[in-house]
Amino acid sequence: MTVRVVLADDQTVVRAGFRALLDLTDDLVVVAEAADGTQAVEAVRLTRPDVVLMDIRMPGVDGIEATRRIAADRTLDAVRVVMLTTYQVDAYVFEALRHGAAGFLLKDIEPDGLRAAIRTVAAGQGLLAPAVTRSVVEEFARLKAPETAGAERLAVLTDREREVMALVAAGLSNEEIGRQLIMSPLTAKTHVSRAMIKLGTRDRAQLVVLAYETGLVRAGER
């Protein structure tokens, strides 16, 4: 299957570099480029890509707002946005995850890592680098108290779904959750999917953020 990609970065040389890497791969194709958030949203609506590589800091409409607009458009539910950043621990990354990004990548990622990450997200496997993403969420979750309405928001979940959600926040894959709770990976995936539907989250990244924001898990806990 060919994975269709939109590149959004205000630096022409960065876009050219990523395009050159992806053009060398048969199953990855760049269908559009954008120099700011407004162009990115327009390109996504026009081309319906599988994955968007979105720079966080762009002039005018930045990557966070562009991601929010894409995530809010129900016709674009299949589109996965991956943020590009220079810093591993970045408040902007945290905001992007809250607003619908599926994960993030450092701009100095190795070519093979970039291609593998795009395929991972396109395949619907969700969160990139769980341990790293968790460290970002934890870092900024420390700065704010859990939502007072946290218990009410999670009341729609069964006990098992809540337990699975906590393990997703710990960075576990469906296979690892299955081993820990003595269930098949498919059953674990089903619980994750049901929790996402009930809570209105796009993917595992937002499930992790929500787990911290509602106090289901707390920074520093294992």
Side-chain angles (χ1 to χ4, degrees):
M1 182 184 72
T2 300
V3 178
R4 305 169 75 251
V5 181
V6 165
L7 300 176
D9 196 296
D10 61 317
Q11 298 183 47
T12 304
V13 67
V14 173
R15 297 199 308 273
F18 278 114
R19 177 182 275 276
L21 290 176
L22 300 184
D23 282 347
L24 296 173
T25 310
D26 292 339
D27 64 330
L28 305 176
V29 58
V30 177
V31 295
E33 295 185 22
D36 58 45
T38 300
Q39 291 180 13
V41 175
E42 291 175 351
V44 169
R45 287 175 175 161
L46 180 64
T47 63
R48 294 293 200 274
D50 301 297
V51 177
V52 183
L53 295 183
M54 181 86 74
D55 187 25
I56 290 182
R57 297 171 180 83
M58 292 185 288
V61 174
D62 64 14
I64 297 174
E65 174 59 21
T67 298
R68 188 195 67 76
R69 294 181 186 181
I70 292 170
D73 188 337
R74 297 308 301 272
T75 68
L76 302 176
D77 279 350
V79 178
R80 292 291 173 259
V81 179
V82 177
M83 308 308 296
L84 298 174
T85 181
T86 307
Y87 306 102
Q88 180 167 298
V89 179
D90 189 327
Y92 292 102
V93 170
F94 178 67
E95 287 303 310
L97 293 173
R98 290 186 66 219
H99 287 293
F104 69 95
L105 295 172
L106 299 181
K107 286 190 176 182
D108 62 357
I109 186 172
E110 293 294 325
D112 286 345
L114 172 68
R115 291 187 280 262
I118 292 173
R119 294 186 185 107
T120 296
V121 173
Q125 296 180 31
L127 200 59
L128 291 174
V132 177
T133 303
R134 175 185 167 135
S135 72
V136 172
V137 175
E138 279 204 354
E139 181 69 22
F140 295 97
R142 293 178 194 276
L143 305 180
K144 57 182 293 187
E147 295 177 1
T148 55
E152 289 78 3
R153 291 193 67 182
L154 299 181
V156 297
L157 302 181
T158 65
D159 289 343
R160 179 61 87 186
E161 289 164 354
R162 197 183 309 241
E163 189 174 19
V164 168
M165 180 176 173
L167 293 176
V168 170
L172 274 64
S173 66
N174 292 335
E175 289 75 13
E176 292 167 332
I177 293 172
R179 285 197 296 270
Q180 182 150 333
L181 298 182
I182 314 177
M183 61 175 64
S184 71
L186 180 59
T187 300
K189 180 180 179 181
T190 298
H191 285 306
V192 173
S193 298
R194 287 176 178 168
M196 287 167 50
I197 291 171
K198 290 180 178 181
L199 295 172
T201 57
R202 276 174 66 88
D203 53 36
R204 297 172 83 100
Q206 286 74 59
L207 208 58
V208 173
V209 171
L210 195 58
Y212 281 95
E213 289 190 327
T214 58
L216 178 64
V217 295
R218 298 180 184 277
E221 291 182 348
R222 293 292 181 269

